[in-house]
Amino acid sequence: MTYAGLADQQEATEKFLIALGIGRNDRVATVLPAGATTAVCNLTLSACASAVPLNPQYTGEEFEGYLQLLAPAALIVRAGDATAARSAAARQGIRIIELVPTDGRGAGGFELHGERSRRPGPLAPATAEDVALVMLTSGSTSRPKLVPLHHKTVIYRAWTNAQWVGLEADDRGLLFMPLFHGQGFLAGLCPPVLVGGSVIVLSEFDPAGFFHLLEEYEATWFTAGPTHLRAILDLAPEHRAAVRHRPVRFVRTGSGQLSAGELAMLQEEFAAPVIETYNCSEAGQLAGGLLSWAEKEKESGVSPMAASSDAAVMDEGGHLLGCGETGEIVARGDGVIPHYLDNPELTADSFRNGWFHTGDLGSIDRDGFLRIKGRIKEIIDYGGESISPGEIEGVLSAHPEVETAVSFAIPHPSLGQQVAAAVVLGAGARATEGDLKRYLRARLAHFKVPRKIILMDAIPVGPTGKVLRDKLVTQIKDADRHADGDQTPKLGPRTPLERTLIDLWCRQLKRQDIGVDDDFFLLGGDSLQAIDLFLGIENKLGKVLPRSILLEASTIGELARAIENERPSDTLISINPAGSLPPLYCVHDGSGQVLLFRHLSRHLGGEQPLYGLQAHGIDGKAPFRMSVERMAADYVESIRRHQSKGPYYLAGYSFGGQVAFEMAHQLLSVGEHVALLVLLDSHLFGPGTRVSTGKWLRRHIKRFARLNRGERFTYLKTRVVNAAEIATAVVRKPIIDRALERGARGRSMSPDRFWDIAAYASRRYRPPVIDCRTVLLRTQLYAWSHPSVHTGWNDLVEHGVEMIRVPGSHSEFLEEPYVRQVAAELHDQLRRAREAYSGGEED
């Protein structure tokens, strides 16, 4: 069909509708099979009325509901088709118009037949403010959202899409996406028509025939969803010669995300950029890949998506967020609809203060590239931990035997929700659920590892390629009910050790139905219960375990094996190994443990990998290191095995700040770059760092006077206890030091003794002068400490130390609620350090 033929068809369609009394802004629904006729019908219909294309695969019950909701002036169906839509329209008294395909005007030509009205409508051209198209998009309830697209919006989106990929009149697109969906009509059909290009519209998608059509019609581009592209990718190696003979200029994709591996394979097979796009019915394309994708892709390892000028990221309070900060993706501008049809409540919830709220989480980096984290409503709330399904899917998809992976929430009786996943394995793959869980445990925080992973032949998707997560949840429930019906008992203890551990878990978690494969955290356990659990293990079994072992062995079976193997604990503990940013390495405090960084990691967000460095020998099976220098050398060796080259980002809490400082010195001395050193309220003790008794008393009296009556008794009691502890420490110090110097160096000790080791090492440490960006997050000083315990660090750093006050005391500022502010300050410092290293600002 030529453009002249299209103009004639539009004129004939308009005259027919006017004769029926149908005009501008009257809704006309279409239920037509895929193909050129449907494309031309919806295109010409939208020029003179409001076209409402519906999915022919809806059931009769769905058509009943949708037509009742839409209240269209008419329904267009193909002549002779006895569809469920026709029956539903007849029952509701909706006028039925029959479409008869013809070839008089070329491909896609048709005639319309229906009873004429006695009162024809006026003949008037549509304006920019008239509604050209109404699209149905899924809502949070069974009621769909009605999205009105005005002529000015359709033209703006078509023009933006065409400009984004550089469409011209000599481009020819291959279109097989559904025309009742935005990617088919608004991205596949309208842009080439707007620039005078060509479109080949398929009546069905046949993966094998696709390659022949691509070559026969000399298509220069096509748009497709992930489901179609995966089918194409499977057959691409067999048709490589045809693709090379008639290469495309680019491939466009939307309606879901491909994995980085799939994108790379598609780009290799077609020798062309695969332009991934982020769209929504209400706002159109908000981000997309670029034709000049190569350089950015080399940096990030994935195809980039540059955010349009209309996209931003906002927090829950309605404030726009800065580079790298995660929040809800919002949009405004000419491509955004003003409201939903017939739904003022939903409009008020989604359109606020001039912004459309997409319901998606994301962040925009300093180069303007968007990273999508997932749907807010799909975010899994696991006992207060917010988990993005996209993060889990990305890690699972990187497994060599996984072809497709989807993560979703399933109910949990006490925590609200927990994580599940569905996986399609590649041909010949043999990975089991256990294999995949072990793979994830090495790469994700324990609470992100799915409780259940189901292996499937295919992931259920809707007609536009969107994953049907509700069906996956139903399958999990059905599997659980089937298991309950079989009354299959949980796997019981196989050894006396497992029996003992189950008894301890049952007592601690107050449950009786624990099996050897149950996960401590999925059963509702937390870090405080973990401490009590380990005390019970120590009393019952005489085994001293590092607290971090639960991050790696969280089931009875795994914990029993770890105890039996008696393997010394690793120094480097992954608290959050996921995320695309450079890792942050955090050194323990005087306890030698790293569980205290768990809350900090959560508030830093899923994109910030965080590793804890726990003390060598904390498991009681190996000797402690007796000096700050030796500890630092161990930890430097561990992080360089994990990250062979800088820049390095280091932090240390309390005593750990001294060790982190020495680590920075050792790394700098061998030519490595330390981008940031963060001292988390680390004190630098030495001569003159304690105040006189008189000044100590005056400080306490001043603080005491500011308290109300109810707080004063607690304050006095705490001061007496602290004074007793200090007096005891003063008396014990020379005794402990002599004992350590005499014989403790080569022997393992109880983890409780590490406090003495840390104090011993700290008193003997003489820090050198270093030159790297250093920040001190400081709390209120102890009354007996001189300000030099903080300010003394300035003399040890070439360009001084940036000091930032944070709320809370030394012992509580890494706990809720103070840790939120600490994480915010640390997040900002990490961002600044990354920008400085990449040339964004001066060091």
Side-chain angles (χ1 to χ4, degrees), residues 35-216:
T37 302
T38 300
V40 175
C41 177
N42 286 325
L43 195 62
T44 58
L45 177 61
S46 67
C48 50
S50 298
V52 189
L54 298 178
N55 184 351
Q57 297 180 16
Y58 287 150
T59 65
E61 184 177 344
E62 288 173 316
F63 278 123
E64 289 278 1
Y66 293 158
L67 291 175
Q68 188 174 6
L69 178 66
L70 286 162
L75 168 70
I76 297 179
V77 294
R78 194 164 62 176
D81 283 357
T83 65
R86 182 192 290 262
S87 301
R91 282 191 292 272
Q92 295 184 30
I94 296 172
R95 176 181 291 163
I96 296 172
I97 300 172
E98 292 196 325
L99 178 147
V100 179
T102 65
D103 56 6
R105 297 185 179 92
F110 62 87
E111 293 179 351
L112 297 177
H113 299 274
E115 183 183 352
R116 304 231 168 187
S117 171
R118 295 177 183 176
R119 297 177 60 186
L123 181 61
T127 70
E129 301 299 329
D130 289 326
V131 176
L133 192 70
V134 176
M135 307 209 78
L136 275 67
T137 184
S138 57
S140 57
T141 67
S142 58
R143 181 184 181 184
K145 296 175 285 188
L146 304 185
V147 177
L149 297 168
H150 298 77
H151 280 278
K152 63 180 182 180
T153 307
V154 173
I155 292 173
Y156 176 82
R157 291 191 190 180
W159 181 252
T160 302
N161 271 279
Q163 292 297 300
W164 196 276
V165 295
L167 275 185
E168 297 179 352
D170 56 358
D171 275 310
R172 181 172 294 177
L174 194 62
L175 177 59
F176 45 82
M177 289 297 290
L179 290 163
F180 53 82
H181 185 256
Q183 189 177 358
F185 190 86
L186 296 170
L189 181 62
C190 291
V193 169
L194 188 65
V195 300
S198 305
V199 187
I200 307 132
V201 187
L202 306 187
S203 58
E204 62 178 353
F205 173 64
D206 172 22
F210 162 82
F211 292 95
H212 299 299
L213 293 170
L214 201 65
E215 184 177 21
E216 179 183 352

Side-chain angles (χ1 to χ4, degrees), residues 2 7 83 307 330 402 580 586 633 635 651 703 740 746 786 805 815:
T2 64
T83 65
V330 294
V402 172
S580 60
C586 294
Y635 304 161
R703 292 179 184 177
L740 293 174
H786 190 276
R805 290 190 178 275
E815 299 293 331

Side-chain angles (χ1 to χ4, degrees), residues 512-752:
Q512 299 301 319
D513 57 340
I514 296 177
V516 297
D517 289 330
D518 285 328
D519 186 284
F520 178 81
F521 295 102
L522 292 181
L523 291 172
D526 56 33
S527 56
L528 291 177
Q529 289 173 311
I531 293 173
D532 292 337
L533 175 66
F534 283 118
L535 290 175
I537 291 173
E538 185 175 351
N539 293 332
K540 192 79 173 177
L541 302 175
K543 298 285 186 179
V544 179
L545 302 175
R547 308 299 183 250
S548 62
I549 197 171
L550 270 184
L551 300 177
E552 303 168 355
S554 57
T555 70
I556 293 285
E558 292 167 340
L559 188 58
R561 285 191 293 274
I563 293 173
E564 288 168 344
N565 292 338
E566 294 192 349
R567 178 177 56 86
S569 61
D570 292 329
T571 296
L572 188 68
I573 303 299
S574 57
I575 297 173
N576 176 27
S580 60
L581 299 174
L584 173 66
Y585 301 99
C586 294
V587 184
H588 57 78
D589 66 348
S591 72
Q593 305 281 1
V594 296
L595 271 181
L596 55 93
F597 295 121
R598 185 165 174 254
H599 296 304
L600 180 64
S601 177
R602 178 159 58 89
H603 288 297
L604 282 175
E607 286 302 309
Q608 179 58 66
L610 190 146
Y611 292 84
L613 289 156
Q614 72 178 6
H616 185 274
I618 200 67
D619 53 3
K621 299 182 178 68
F624 287 130
R625 305 309 187 208
M626 301 295 293
S627 69
V628 169
E629 292 86 351
R630 182 66 191 280
M631 292 179 198
D634 274 359
Y635 304 161
V636 165
E637 183 181 354
S638 293
I639 68 172
R640 294 189 78 182
R641 282 198 303 267
H642 180 258
Q643 179 187 337
S644 61
K645 187 173 180 56
Y648 293 100
Y649 298 81
L650 308 176
Y653 167 43
S654 191
F655 165 72
Q658 297 184 29
V659 182
F661 189 93
E662 177 61 25
M663 290 171 65
H665 166 65
Q666 293 185 16
L667 287 165
L668 292 167
S669 66
V670 294
E672 287 291 357
H673 182 71
V674 178
L676 179 66
L677 169 64
V678 180
L679 307 174
L680 299 170
D681 206 36
S682 296
H683 297 165
L684 186 66
F685 292 117
T689 58
R690 292 184 182 274
V691 300
S692 66
T693 303
K695 192 170 185 179
W696 178 84
L697 281 171
R698 285 193 297 274
R699 279 187 179 178
H700 275 305
I701 291 170
K702 187 176 181 180
R703 292 179 184 177
F704 184 80
R706 291 198 297 263
L707 301 175
N708 60 45
R709 184 176 299 178
E711 295 171 325
R712 289 179 176 180
F713 175 75
T714 303
Y715 188 82
L716 286 173
K717 181 181 176 181
T718 303
R719 300 289 73 77
V720 170
V721 171
N722 286 350
E725 290 176 350
I726 293 169
T728 302
V730 170
V731 173
R732 290 179 68 234
K733 184 177 75 171
I735 302 171
I736 292 170
D737 286 359
R738 285 196 296 272
L740 293 174
E741 291 167 356
R742 274 200 307 269
R745 295 175 184 268
R747 296 190 291 108
S748 60
M749 295 185 226
S750 165
D752 294 338

